Amino acid sequence: LDAAKLVLRHTAVVGSTGAGKTSAVAELLQGMIAERWQGANVVVIDPHGEYARAIGEKGSVRSVLNPKKRLRVPYWALEAEQVLRVFTGAKIGKAVLDRWSDLVAQARVEFVEAAEWLDLDPAAVTADTPVPFEIREVWHQLDYENNETREEKGDPSTVRIEEKGDPAALKPTRFTPYKPAGGKPDRGPRYEHYGQVPEQLRLALRNPDFAFLLEPAADPKGKDPLEEAMVEWLGGDAPISVLDFSGVPASVTDRAIGVVLGLLFELALRTEEKGPGIGRPRPVLFVLEEAHRYLGEGANEITHEAAARIAREGRKY
């Protein structure tokens, strides 16, 4: 094989189940590592955990289920609606989506105003701006409104709280139960408007399968956690990086893969020719195992668009 042509053009490895596609690609990657190419940067998207053994200690391997070398994909890099869909897997109604987006936008603005490492006009921030926000706080407010009862429906000062909640512990606020047929307390103005979505979100946030989406945590007085995560995605100083998404629901995996591909492409797009960064100063080869999952008709929109964009425009950068 002419390695230069192989990595500078698009290549598809096709064959029936069991024909040896993965083995063939692993053999190519092992050959690249053996040559100790300086500055080589290969990112393998591995949905089934098949490449870690083939690459071994010669490359960087991060897994969504490995707490010591966790593959971290921060949820806040997604648009507001996609965040909710990733965690709940539910079809989102307009009422809950509108309120969720308002709360997320507000939370993002507050973070930008407090963050010492962000130079961004808060007025330009929307629900979809990829800056951090605390999802537990937003969940808590949504759940509060969904269950709130009041002595007088139009008077917020008459709220009937029996036990305060705790966003950090994912503990809901407990209210005095609503009494129908004119009894007291009455329903709050948004009582049960959001259905089961707040509870579905709470359960997902407690689920270890979703832990990789909650890291790295963002600190307004710290440093950019997205930069830290992207360095890990690229494998640091290793010539090859395996991102192992195996072990979590496919719907969650596919969206997370879309985030990784989309953000790495944006980084390449914005990197100046002399660097630092990736793209023109340091090309990246993406290896997409099970590529039909991201490019087929039923693929998740985020992932499909990211993979298709790299296929269309990636060689330029």
Side-chain angles (χ1 to χ4, degrees), residues 78-108:
L78 286 162
E79 296 178 358
E81 180 178 358
Q82 292 293 345
V83 173
L84 200 52
R85 286 187 173 176
V86 164
F87 282 102
T88 67
K91 185 177 181 180
I92 312 300
K94 187 176 187 305
V96 65
L97 180 58
D98 287 350
R99 184 58 178 152
W100 168 263
S101 296
D102 288 344
L103 292 171
V104 169
Q106 179 182 336
R108 290 195 201 267

Side-chain angles (χ1 to χ4, degrees), residues 192-203:
E192 293 187 347
H193 277 203
Y194 312 139
Q196 293 299 311
V197 171
E199 180 61 10
Q200 290 171 333
L201 178 57
R202 186 182 75 87
L203 293 174

Side-chain angles (χ1 to χ4, degrees), residues 264-295:
L264 287 179
F265 181 74
E266 284 293 330
L267 179 61
L269 190 70
R270 298 169 191 274
T271 296
E272 296 180 2
E273 193 163 346
K274 294 183 180 179
I278 60 170
R280 290 187 176 96
R282 190 180 183 191
V284 176
L285 173 66
F286 289 111
V287 179
L288 306 183
E289 176 75 4
E290 300 282 324
H292 59 276
R293 281 177 52 170
Y294 327 126
L295 298 172

